[in-house]
Amino acid sequence: MPVGSPAHDLSLTATDVAALGLKPVGEWQALTLPKVPGLIVVTNAFTDQGQRHWVRQCLERYPSQNSNRTNLHAHHPGTVTTDGGGLWARASKPDAVPPDKELLHRLRWTTLGFHYDWTRKIYTREAHSAFPEDLQRLCDTCSRLLGLGPYSAEAAIVNYYHERSTLAGHTDHSERNQSAPLFSFSFGLSAVFMIGGNTKQTVPVPLWLRSGDFVVMTAQARQAYHAVPKIVSNTLPPGLTDDGEAAWAPFHAYLSDARININVRSGVFGDAGDS
């Protein structure tokens, strides 16, 4: 699939792209699969420093903002957010106490924008916080460069996987507008990603997702069953390993056993951008 051709949005400058941690679009590699219409897999899109930036956002910033929600909030109120400096600030210290380290290991998700209700599997207008501006710009920029047009990010789930974590086959069907693309960014350890069709009878296609890859699900792929059956150990890329920078050392330690996935949706209540 050509990326950055005249059909794509050329109003974005190289500075706009680089500011988001992205490589020049000419260096991206985009793959489409005839067996899964509407699926776009993009590799080689992020710089090493860009990957580090998004890892930091997912560990330092997003879980610690009081308006966002995590799987730890219900049973451990005040321990994750900025009260006391935030969970990452406490758990990543060399002298961190065991309870904080254990809580960090138990962090499984953070929701942004319209917060997904995991029990009822719906969104409500009342459960809402401001969507991160930088993540909105990232999705909009990627969408434009892929020729998909402007994108209004409304909700996101940041998933934190460890080596033994899996994600069972499912569809993302809670958003009312199922034609709005879904963006999924991967950082950390590699993963096996499987995607099939709109029923479980379709034989899925296995894909290897590396750190810095991202997937866009559009058209028929938007309603396809997909899963993550395997997080692959010892696959952290050199750009995310410990290079002697003291500030990066705790992030490297975390990622040696983890994969972070940012899953962004639009059209939560209907037309994309209609919130």
Side-chain angles (χ1 to χ4, degrees), residues 43 51 64 81-83 142 156 179 209:
T43 65
Q51 293 188 53
S64 296
T81 55
T82 50
D83 302 331
C142 290
S179 66
L209 295 182

Side-chain angles (χ1 to χ4, degrees), residues 231-255:
I231 307 299
V232 186
S233 60
N234 301 315
T235 54
L236 196 66
L240 296 184
T241 56
D242 190 353
D243 57 4
E245 180 189 347
W248 181 252
F251 294 97
H252 169 232
Y254 181 89
L255 292 175

Side-chain angles (χ1 to χ4, degrees), residues 41 53 80 93-94 100 127 143 152 158 175 186 203 215 217 235 248 260:
V41 182
H53 167 77
V80 183
K93 296 187 299 183
D100 283 339
S143 184
S152 178
V158 182
E175 297 76 31
S186 295
V203 177
V215 169
M217 298 168 68
T235 54
W248 181 252
I260 298 173

Side-chain angles (χ1 to χ4, degrees), residues 82-104:
T82 50
D83 302 331
L87 177 60
W88 176 260
R90 300 193 309 276
S92 62
K93 296 187 299 183
D95 59 348
V97 297
D100 283 339
K101 290 183 177 181
E102 175 62 20
L103 274 180
L104 179 62

Side-chain angles (χ1 to χ4, degrees), residues 164-168 191-194 227-231:
R164 296 183 180 180
S165 302
T166 61
L167 180 65
V192 176
F193 175 76
M194 303 190 74
V228 180
K230 180 69 174 178
I231 307 299

Side-chain angles (χ1 to χ4, degrees), residues 46 63 204 221 274:
F46 286 88
D274 179 19

